[in-house]
Amino acid sequence: MNITRFAEDRQDVFWIVGAGQAERHATTMRPGAVYAGQCVAALCDVQIKIPQPTPLGRDPLTKKVTRKCPACEGIAEGKNYAETSWDF
């Protein structure tokens, strides 16, 4: 599992914690390509709301969230996606 860099020969998925959620979902949408408040589809078809960015000098609270959506995890593993955890 690739958790620190982008893969050139595989599709990337980004594990993010949507606004108001307590677990990570995987999405193929690069998080920097969408604005805060926009909803994107997770691999499991759940809509996740992109959170506001963390102010400079602070650590995102979502860094502590390690629980992953089991449905997204199964799809990501089955399709051999390159995985990156992303916090805003």
Side-chain angles (χ1 to χ4, degrees):
M1 178 169 70
N2 178 358
I3 60 170
T4 58
R5 58 185 171 185
F6 304 117
E8 296 192 17
D9 58 341
R10 294 192 293 172
Q11 172 73 43
D12 293 308
V13 291
F14 302 92
W15 286 97
I16 66 171
V17 180
Q21 296 184 339
E23 72 179 356
R24 292 185 180 273
H25 284 275
T27 180
T28 57
M29 176 68 68
R30 191 174 301 268
V34 294
Y35 55 87
Q38 183 175 353
C39 288
V40 298
L43 295 180
C44 67
D45 291 327
V46 166
Q47 293 292 310
I48 356 174
K49 187 175 181 180
I50 301 297
Q52 295 289 331
T54 301
L56 290 175
R58 295 186 189 171
D59 283 335
L61 296 175
T62 57
K63 280 192 166 201
K64 297 175 183 175
V65 177
T66 57
R67 180 184 162 155
K68 293 180 177 179
C69 165
C72 286
E73 195 167 31
I75 294 167
E77 287 177 5
K79 293 191 175 184
N80 196 31
Y81 286 125
E83 301 178 38
T84 300
S85 290
W86 189 286
D87 295 292
F88 293 87

